[in-house]
Structure formats: C-alpha cells, structure tokens
Amino acid sequence: MWWKVIGGDDDFFVIEIDTFRGEKVRVPFTSAPDSNIIMIAKIGGKFQGFYDPYLHKQATELGIWDAVLSHEALHCNQEFIAPYYPGIDLIPANIGIQEKYLVPNMIEDVVINHTIWLWEQSPFRCPKRFREQNLVEKIIRYYKLAPSFPSHNVGIDALQKWFLQAHMTALKGVQNIKSKDKHEKGIDIYVEDEKDKDISSAIISNIFRLLNGRATSLYEGAKHIIAFLEPKIPGYKSPLYETRYKGKVIPQFVPMDKSIISSIYHLLDIYFARTYNMDLHDMRKRVSQLIPKKITRGKKERDKIQQSGEEIHIDVKRDPGKKKLIFDLSLKPIKGNAASYFSVSSHEKGITVMDSEIEVDD
Amino acid sequence: MVQKGITKENVLNYQTRWEILLALYDGKERSAYYITNRPSINLSISPVVDHLRILEEAGLVEGRDTSTSKMRRRHYKITEKGKNALYEYNKGIAEKIKVNPEMIDHMMKFLGSN
C-alpha cells in the first residue's frame, strides 16, 4: 500500500503517503461538514486534505473509501503537476450513482491513474519543465507498492469510458448553457440511459481500436498495470529496458500521439451529435459560437491567443443545497511551450476537477 | 530565521512547525535529526531545534533529555495539546472554505497543469 493512516479520529486523521519519488509525505485530513468535497490541496505550501463526512459515510457504505483515499493520495505525487484525472476526479461528485462507473477496487484506481499519468506526461499536455524524470522506473517501483487484489483486465475499458464521460461532461456543460439560454429543460450531465449506452458502446469499441496495440500490461500475480507504448512502434521492446527489468515488457513512456487524441475527439463529437440529434457540423458550429476565439492549428494565431491570456468563464449553478452539480466551465489558453490546445476545464464545485482538451474546428 | 511575536494562534502559521507536528503525529519520540531528514523540512538542524523549542514552550511537543556522555541529545514527542492544535488549525481552514467556496478555485491554481 502506498499510504496508511497514522492516527486520528472521525474528524481528523493523518495519512502518510509514499510518493513516486520515494519520499514520505504526511497529509492531515480534516472533516468539513457540508462542504461537498473530498480533496487534497496545497495551501501555503502545505498539503492539506478535506472531506465532507456525508461523502465519507456514503463512500464507506459503498466500500470505496479506501479507493477514494488512494486516489487522493496519488495527488501528492509530482507536486500536483498532473492532478486532473478525467473521470476519476468525477467520481466523488456523484458518488451516489457511481456504482456502475466506480471500480471499487484500488488496483483499478492505480491502473487508471497511472495510465492517465502517462498521458498527462505527454508533450502535448505537459511542458517539459514539469515532466517527471525516470517516470517509468518510478511507476514500476510504485506499482510494487500497489495492493494485491484479484483483478481483471478492465483498465483500458474503464479508461475509455471515463475518457468518454469526461469529454461528454465538458460538452454537455456547453450544451447546457445553450439550453439555458432557450429556457429549455436542463440536460442531464451523465449518460445513463439505454440509448446512450448503445451509442457509447460503439464509440468505445472504436476508441479501443485506436488504442489497441498501443498499450501493454505488466503482470505480477494478480496485479497489473496498463501503460501506453510508443504509438508509432506498437509493441516495441527496448533492449535497454528488457535488460533492466529482466525481460518484462516495459512501457517506454511515450503516450498517445496527437492524431489519436484528435481521432478520439472526432468520434466523441459524432457521439454527441447523435446524442443531441444534431448534425455533426451544426453541433461543432454551435459549440464554437460559444467560444468567440476560433482555435486553429496555426502557430502564430495560437501564440497570439496565448499571449492575450483571454479567459472565458461560464457558470452553471444547479441546486447547491441538494448536492447537485454546480458547473463552472472555463476556457483558457494553456500557457506552455508545448501545449497547442485550449484547455476546457470544468469542476463541480468542491469535489471534482475535470480537465479535458477540446479541439474546435470551424 | 525563526518568527517573532509568536502567539498561541499563530504558532502553526510557520510551515516548518506545522510540518514538525505532522512528523511527530504518530506519537513516537523523535530526535531533531530525524525531523531534519524529512523531505518536507528543508532546513539544517539548528533552526529545527529552534522550532522544536518554540513548540515545546507552547506545550505542543514535549522534550526529553536523552544525552549520553558523548553526545547531547533531546527527543521530542507530540502532546495531546499538539494534536488538538493541528486539528484546530486545519479545522480553521476547512471553516474558511465553507464560508468562502471561492477558496477552492484559488486552491485549484496549485493543481493546474497550465
């Protein structure tokens, strides 16, 4: 286990976390009634955790409190540089309806976090100065600390579902604004009905096809971790890594490339268009109408937009008293030497942060 | 340099003292040397000893002389008052978040990948 509780009571406890860097970090968790949050933040240089006892109770009843804490513990790595795990960070927000999304097995959390971690290290997302050195070795070391529960090979599948959900949440947030303007009934944020499930299955299988052959699994008994390989050389085994890791297939940290991400977004856009019963072009156009600046691939224009530092914030508030979603969708340029997208980030107040990238065509 | 004008209210505002209490939270007796070696405490032993002395004066830790004939040494252990102080300090921040939810947005700046 990479974390343990070292003392406290119902209102306050301290967890000790083994980080990727092999350091031990202690984080106090304080109960914050009615705050609707479970989170670790860095305040004044101090890692501090907060949790709503109501969510704690629910998570405990669902048998996932350890999984939630495991997830929060992972936030303490890398100084929060890669903290937004699409999907994972959505979990606590709708914890009451999460049984079908949440895998109450910590190993899955590790698999997905690590997979997304690798993805977050992508040069398309993460400026070089923030990238972790010797990431693979650190993950392997960390992986050995993971709890050994019987597991099954759902990592990639779960990742795709969450990836889908994350993107969908962002777009539905935008769509919701549109509906609100027209005084229409608000759109449910999550896909739960049979119709959507059917469509998402088809999309997921396509995404799987895109990813297939570009991911590998490490097995050790019942444990496994899935990581992406160099997309251009599917399944390539580095002699260097083979020697170092005794012939195991080791992911050579190069995450998904941009074209794959674009393809996934394209598929997702098709999915949304079908969900909203809209023409694909119309849907993209309507989304882009909400975004005054056109995002193009041109470097000059991109730089110009980034330099302007323009930010667009959209707020959607929905029944905060009933622990419903409060959406704060913001669109802002990523300031980084490698980032070429805008970031659409959305968080449900308090608990979750979902950060996704969206490319908008004309 | 150790902060001046220390009061009961602000004694934990100094990050090192807060980290020291966390390092001692498991209730075990530790030396200043052990605390200095914590990755979160990036100080030499001298200021750490100063902070421990302040915490001891405030009753948040208790020290015990464990010197030998060859070496002067002191071990420290967190007190119940120290545990409560840590709780109260963090509880204060939790209250602030409740009153001012925008704080979360502010905190998220530390989480950002941009």
Side-chain angles (χ1 to χ4, degrees):
Chain A
M1 191 74 100
W2 64 97
W3 61 270
K4 62 180 177 185
V5 175
I6 59 166
D9 51 35
D10 286 347
D11 280 337
F12 182 78
F13 59 90
V14 175
I15 63 173
E16 183 174 86
I17 298 149
D18 288 304
T19 68
F20 284 145
R21 293 175 179 173
E23 296 169 346
K24 288 189 187 302
V25 173
R26 287 186 179 181
V27 181
F29 264 83
T30 313
S31 75
D34 301 322
S35 62
N36 206 14
I37 59 174
I38 301 173
M39 68 180 291
I40 286 182
K42 203 169 189 185
I43 305 168
K46 304 163 188 162
F47 279 122
Q48 305 212 38
F50 303 98
Y51 65 95
D52 186 332
Y54 171 77
L55 294 175
H56 180 192
K57 183 171 167 280
Q58 279 209 321
T60 306
E61 282 170 5
L62 286 167
I64 57 162
W65 176 242
D66 281 353
V68 171
L69 273 191
S70 295
H71 166 67
E72 294 301 328
L74 285 166
H75 275 294
C76 292
N77 284 288
Q78 175 81 353
E79 297 281 314
F80 285 84
I81 295 305
Y84 299 158
Y85 307 117
I88 286 281
D89 267 323
L90 288 170
I91 287 169
N94 42 8
I95 210 159
I97 56 163
Q98 269 305 315
E99 292 89 334
K100 70 189 235 186
Y101 293 116
L102 185 67
V103 185
N105 187 335
M106 281 184 280
I107 190 69
E108 312 304 348
D109 201 32
V110 174
V111 168
I112 292 154
N113 272 286
H114 284 179
T115 309
I116 296 172
W117 182 279
L118 285 168
W119 181 55
E120 289 277 357
Q121 293 287 325
S122 157
F124 305 114
R125 291 182 60 87
C126 188
K128 193 177 178 182
R129 66 185 182 279
F130 292 139
R131 261 176 261 156
E132 183 73 40
Q133 298 299 311
N134 305 321
L135 184 80
V136 171
E137 290 182 37
K138 285 171 183 169
I139 285 181
I140 297 298
R141 194 172 65 225
Y142 210 60
Y143 162 68
K144 286 179 177 163
L145 293 170
S148 180
F149 287 127
S151 190
H152 47 92
N153 192 20
V154 298
I156 283 284
D157 189 46
L159 172 67
Q160 290 156 357
K161 282 183 184 169
W162 275 315
F163 194 86
L164 176 80
Q165 193 186 1
H167 183 80
M168 183 178 65
T169 306
L171 266 186
K172 281 203 170 183
V174 175
Q175 186 75 5
N176 206 22
I177 306 290
K178 178 184 78 70
S179 305
K180 202 178 173 188
D181 289 345
K182 286 188 167 183
H183 305 289
E184 289 173 4
K185 197 179 173 185
I187 296 168
D188 183 18
I189 300 291
Y190 299 96
V191 173
E192 288 184 287
D193 61 15
E194 288 303 313
K195 181 190 161 198
D196 285 345
K197 199 188 287 177
D198 288 340
I199 297 172
S200 62
S201 303
I203 299 294
I204 284 168
S205 66
N206 276 322
I207 293 171
F208 186 79
R209 187 174 50 76
L210 280 166
L211 297 176
N212 199 14
R214 293 180 174 89
T216 187
S217 297
L218 297 174
Y219 290 92
E220 190 174 283
K223 291 193 281 188
H224 75 264
I225 179 172
I226 297 175
F228 291 108
L229 284 168
E230 158 63 73
K232 289 173 187 169
I233 319 171
Y236 176 75
K237 295 177 189 176
S238 157
L240 176 68
Y241 280 118
E242 282 206 348
T243 307
R244 195 180 299 175
Y245 297 109
K246 297 174 185 171
K248 286 182 182 174
V249 181
I250 300 297
Q252 304 145 62
F253 157 61
V254 180
M256 286 188 284
D257 84 15
K258 194 173 164 183
S259 65
I260 296 175
I261 295 172
S262 297
S263 303
I264 291 171
Y265 281 134
H266 179 70
L267 286 168
L268 291 170
D269 284 348
I270 294 171
Y271 163 71
F272 291 122
R274 287 168 68 177
T275 303
Y276 302 139
N277 198 22
M278 290 169 77
D279 176 75
L280 176 65
H281 179 75
D282 286 347
M283 190 205 70
R284 284 178 167 166
K285 197 173 173 185
R286 293 178 88 160
V287 171
S288 67
Q289 280 167 356
L290 288 159
I291 304 166
K293 281 279 181 190
K294 284 177 185 172
I295 305 163
T296 70
R297 291 171 191 270
K299 187 177 181 305
K300 274 187 183 173
E301 186 160 352
R302 204 164 62 225
D303 289 347
K304 197 175 150 191
I305 293 168
Q306 288 193 354
Q307 279 164 15
S308 76
E310 183 177 342
E311 289 193 13
I312 304 151
H313 291 279
I314 307 162
D315 288 307
V316 183
K317 297 194 175 180
R318 309 169 102 208
D319 299 333
K322 293 179 183 173
K323 290 187 186 295
K324 295 281 183 185
L325 304 175
I326 304 173
F327 250 72
D328 172 6
L329 205 95
S330 61
L331 186 75
K332 57 187 175 181
I334 295 172
K335 286 173 185 154
N337 46 9
S340 59
Y341 289 88
F342 272 36
S343 129
V344 175
S345 63
S346 151
H347 75 259
E348 292 151 37
K349 211 93 177 179
I351 291 190
T352 67
V353 174
M354 186 280 295
D355 187 349
S356 179
E357 290 174 343
I358 172 173
E359 191 176 8
V360 181
D361 295 327
D362 286 356
Chain B
M1 195 179 111
V2 176
Q3 177 191 2
K4 289 178 181 175
I6 298 161
T7 63
K8 185 185 160 193
E9 285 70 34
N10 70 14
V11 68
L12 286 184
N13 281 358
Y14 209 92
Q15 188 179 347
T16 306
R17 291 196 281 272
W18 186 85
E19 295 280 5
I20 289 172
L21 280 193
L22 268 186
L24 294 172
Y25 196 81
D26 53 12
K28 291 179 184 165
E29 266 194 344
R30 308 283 192 191
S31 65
Y33 179 74
Y34 168 86
I35 293 164
T36 308
N37 283 337
R38 307 272 316 169
S40 52
I41 299 171
N42 190 20
L43 287 174
S44 61
I45 197 157
S46 174
V48 168
V49 170
D50 283 345
H51 286 302
L52 280 164
R53 186 176 47 76
I54 290 165
L55 289 170
E56 193 173 358
E57 281 170 11
L60 306 185
V61 301
E62 60 185 19
R64 185 170 66 89
D65 191 4
T66 53
S67 302
T68 62
S69 57
K70 291 180 181 172
M71 190 195 295
R72 282 185 63 198
R73 202 168 51 182
R74 199 167 174 78
H75 274 74
Y76 298 88
K77 188 179 169 184
I78 193 167
T79 60
E80 277 307 309
K81 192 178 171 187
K83 286 184 178 178
N84 285 338
L86 199 56
Y87 168 68
E88 292 297 335
Y89 178 83
N90 291 294
K91 190 77 185 165
I93 295 173
E95 292 294 328
K96 281 182 193 169
I97 291 172
K98 194 176 164 185
V99 175
N100 182 14
E102 286 73 31
M103 263 186 85
I104 290 167
D105 295 339
H106 177 69
M107 283 189 269
M108 292 304 172
K109 287 178 186 171
F110 292 101
L111 310 179
S113 56
N114 53 330

